[in-house]
Amino acid sequence: MKADEEKAVNDLADTLPFGDEIRDLIFEFLKGESIEAKLAYDADQLELIVALKEYKDLGNTYAEEWLDFALRRLKTDIARELAETILETDSSLWWFSDKGDWWVKGKKE
């Protein structure tokens, strides 16, 4: 059995007062031809890449293989540049680069 994405989108859109707009945007995304659709797709992949980088840094032995597939799905140069930066950065630094009291007090003094 194969999912019928078009029918699912149409069924959802038909129930909404702004359904035509949602339908158009979803179909634009699924076609992947516009720069906006490509960037939205890449943003989704980058979120996965950030998560996989964190898993890799925490020792998940499968994350490297999954990262390879996610990286190959990127469509834009800017997304590939961002992914390169993500992979070069220790994921703990995203949350804890400042080892001061910010985490205790919530503000810099």
Side-chain angles (χ1 to χ4, degrees), residues 52-94:
L52 289 172
K53 173 63 164 103
E54 185 175 7
Y55 300 152
K56 179 183 171 190
D57 289 353
L58 293 172
N60 183 315
T61 57
Y62 299 105
E64 184 75 37
E65 181 180 358
W66 299 335
L67 268 168
D68 181 55
F69 289 107
L71 291 167
R72 292 186 349 217
R73 286 193 297 261
L74 295 173
K75 297 178 183 281
T76 63
D77 290 338
I78 190 67
R80 285 186 276 278
E81 289 175 33
L82 285 167
E84 187 177 316
T85 300
I86 291 166
L87 296 177
E88 293 171 352
T89 305
D90 183 322
S91 63
S92 70
L93 296 178
W94 302 336

